[in-house]
Amino acid sequence: MRVVMFGYQTWGHRTLQALLESDHEVVLVVTHPRSEHVYERIWDDSVAELAEKHGVPVLLRNRPDDAELLETIKAAAPDIIVANNWRTWLPPEIFGLPPHGTLNVHDSLLPAYAGFSPIIWALVNGEERVGVTAHRMDGELDAGDILLQRSVPVGPGDTATDLFHRTCDLIAPLVRESLDLIASGRAAWTPQDRSRASFFHKRSVEDSRIDWTWPAEDLERLVRAQSDPYPNAFTYHRGERIRIVSAAVSQARYGGTPGRIFIREGDGVVIVAGADARGGHRKGLLVRTVRTDDGTEYAAGDWFRTMGGYLTARP
């Protein structure tokens, strides 16, 4: 099949590499210009550079809303469009143009976690598995019929970075198998159960701010979800922003006010957590490693030399 590919960052790069190694012909690539957005500088393997290396024509667009792009796609005469991590909505005159429509690859187990940053949100929310979905694009966000899904388990110590690498490894076989099924006429499409759908927005600085009224179990997952190279979960100590690099749930239960720097336990310092922590039934967040804005890391016991005082959401 003749393939036009829409994609960006490492997800798009992996998809394009799989297409180039397949039996199908990539006739055009459309990708976004490089961005300075903090999350778009992460996993930023260049789709444009890979396409140019293989002699595939490339168009750079922020949005797919100009007549020149549509005419170029028509001239390429694709049998199918394949998209992965295209950051804006594709209009129906594009996604419905090829005979086989548009196959979108999304890094969640749809219908859950449609939208943005699904792996991070899934880890924060304690999901047991994450994965990727190949589905037919339609007029709603990540809502089209599903062709294939592949997943991996989430381990108790996994970070978002670990899960990124594991789910990225699923892209190439998923893309190749999907295209082979479509080309051979053996594709079986399954409508999504829209009653199970959930939608998530892009991550921002605010989403990394620690709210000490969250239970320690949730905060521990937030720290793992905001692992390097993502912007770390952060809080304020005596007016200075500190990032929580490593943490765990405490062994004992600690009562009091959320955010209180309470006691040393093992290799860390326990911070009281949970809106109902005053009842003494909650475990705390055992902070092990912190990092200041200049990049210096400290063992929690070295940074919090005395107990008492509070960590706060703002200076």
Side-chain angles (χ1 to χ4, degrees), residues 278-301:
R278 65 186 179 278
H281 307 297
R282 290 283 185 183
K283 295 187 176 184
L285 186 71
L286 180 71
V287 176
R288 288 176 167 147
T289 310
V290 303
R291 180 185 294 152
T292 56
D293 276 349
D294 66 4
T296 305
E297 288 193 5
Y298 298 85

Side-chain angles (χ1 to χ4, degrees), residues 205 234-243 291-293 303 315:
V205 171
F234 68 91
T235 187
Y236 286 86
H237 180 227
R238 296 176 179 172
E240 180 177 356
R241 182 167 69 170
I242 57 170
R243 304 165 195 270
R291 180 185 294 152
T292 56
D293 276 349
W303 179 263

